[in-house]
Amino acid sequence: MMRWLIVLALCAIAGAPVPVVQTIAEPVLVESVAFDARGRMIVSAVHAGGVFRIGGNGALKHWSQKPVAGRRGFFGIAADPARNALWAATSCGVYAQCSPTVSPSLVRMNLRTGRIEQIIGGGDDAKAFGDVVVGADGAVFVSDSGAGEVLKLAPGADELARVIKLEGRASPQGLVVSDDNAVLVFSNYADGLHRVDLRTGAHTRIAGPDGIDVRGVDGVARRGDTLILVRNATTPARVIRATLNTDWTAIMSADVLAEGEPMSEPTGGVVRGDDFVFVSRSQWTDFGDDGLPKPSLAPAIISRLRIPPPEPPPPGTRSGG
């Protein structure tokens, strides 16, 4: 089964997410995907609580080698090959079936062995850590959807510092950082993309493109100045490509790479060459508001979506400002 899925994935075309691997039909609640130092796919699990590989039979195999004290859900994960690290955002809550007294934390693991090397607590104000990204300099950023904040762990630091706190309806989700570590872009679930100048602290919203709604975006990945957005707020779910201008202040163009079935509550992913590898079926729809799995639970699925080359600009247009 595994071999068939991988062969099928090699034939993926734009607009058609192709399954790469799936879990067995047990409560896992997969949230994010990354690759370890050996190039093996690993996933985070909210309900199962940890970082895992998925075996050929769909069963989970522990990748994180040492359990974190106190059960918690593992949400966003991000690999940092330059420093042999995998960072995970962990939180408690009803879906993780753990004690609310367990504080949200950033967990650093060895990217080769899975051994836990560092745990950074979120502090008294932390509510619900969700997504995480690592900058080129090793700085780690994490979104707190419950507190409406984005936090930063500077290289070598052992405490998180606030980057921004949003007012009103705020639920920061996926985030990316520029190669020069100067700009952070993140999705606020309620109103779309936001930009933060990390040198000055200046904060602005990035206007969405005409005809494509970028509210309700969960996962955000990037390749250069192009963002890959996973929008799961409404049906049909969409994977959107949005190309930013050079200073990341505006969306220059956007198109839908995939929408609708077979995606079901897709979440986050990572760009690998010309492919976007992401959680196309997370199992969120298979859990009730009480955090318990429904009787008719189906497998979680990781899929691959080919990112087509950008379309050339219409004749007579020019790039730049």
Side-chain angles (χ1 to χ4, degrees):
M1 178 65 174
M2 167 73 76
R3 190 170 298 169
W4 176 84
L5 287 172
I6 293 175
V7 170
L8 182 59
L10 294 175
C11 303
I13 61 173
V18 176
V20 175
V21 68
Q22 67 181 36
T23 68
I24 55 179
E26 291 186 354
V28 178
L29 225 177
V30 175
E31 177 67 15
S32 187
V33 59
F35 290 84
D36 70 7
R38 295 168 58 184
R40 300 177 301 178
M41 182 188 298
I42 51 180
V43 300
S44 62
V46 176
H47 188 79
V51 178
F52 300 89
R53 293 178 60 217
I54 302 175
N57 60 355
L60 296 184
K61 298 181 177 181
H62 270 283
W63 181 85
S64 46
Q65 296 300 308
K66 179 181 177 182
V68 181
R71 179 179 171 83
R72 67 190 71 201
F74 278 63
F75 287 79
I77 53 176
D80 182 8
R83 296 160 192 85
N84 191 37
L86 180 84
W87 288 94
T90 71
S91 289
C92 202
V94 62
Y95 295 98
Q97 296 291 294
C98 56
S99 169
T101 60
V102 176
S103 173
S105 300
L106 267 180
V107 178
R108 173 179 170 143
M109 288 161 278
N110 186 295
L111 190 60
R112 182 168 296 277
T113 67
R115 182 172 58 89
I116 291 175
E117 299 179 333
Q118 187 179 20
I119 299 175
I120 307 293
D124 295 339
D125 295 332
K127 303 294 184 185
F129 284 1
D131 288 273
V132 61
V133 70
V134 183
D137 63 350
V140 184
F141 299 86
V142 60
S143 57
D144 186 334
S145 59
E149 296 181 344
V150 175
L151 306 170
K152 175 183 178 180
L153 182 70
D158 56 10
E159 290 186 0
L160 290 161
R162 179 186 292 166
V163 174
I164 187 171
K165 181 175 178 62
L166 301 179
E167 302 298 331
R169 291 182 59 199
S171 180
Q173 302 290 328
L175 21 67
V176 294
V177 62
S178 61
D179 288 335
D180 61 2
N181 309 299
V183 179
L184 178 79
V185 169
F186 66 93
S187 166
N188 182 33
Y189 208 71
D191 62 12
L193 300 180
H194 290 241
R195 178 189 189 274
V196 179
D197 187 318
L198 295 173
R199 297 161 298 189
T200 67
H203 164 236
T204 58
R205 275 192 60 210
I206 301 176
D210 292 339
I212 295 182
D213 194 347
V214 294
R215 294 174 297 177
V217 165
D218 188 345
V220 182
R222 81 172 182 97
R223 182 172 63 172
D225 293 330
T226 297
L227 304 184
I228 307 297
L229 312 173
V230 180
R231 184 175 185 265
N232 59 18
T234 59
T235 302
R238 283 180 163 183
V239 178
I240 300 167
R241 172 172 56 183
T243 300
L244 304 174
N245 60 356
T246 55
D247 60 1
W248 290 16
T249 58
I251 296 175
M252 303 301 291
S253 64
D255 58 329
V256 177
L257 299 182
E259 68 177 352
E261 296 182 353
M263 295 187 293
S264 174
E265 198 73 18
T267 53
V270 61
V271 172
R272 297 269 292 180
D274 291 331
D275 297 317
F276 179 53
V277 181
F278 70 112
V279 183
S280 59
R281 189 179 194 284
S282 60
Q283 291 188 323
W284 278 106
T285 54
D286 295 342
F287 283 74
D289 292 338
D290 58 1
L292 298 176
K294 300 175 182 178
S296 57
L297 184 140
I301 301 174
I302 310 299
S303 292
R304 166 181 163 176
L305 177 66
R306 180 58 54 89
I307 304 172
E311 295 184 3
T317 63
R318 61 185 179 91
S319 60

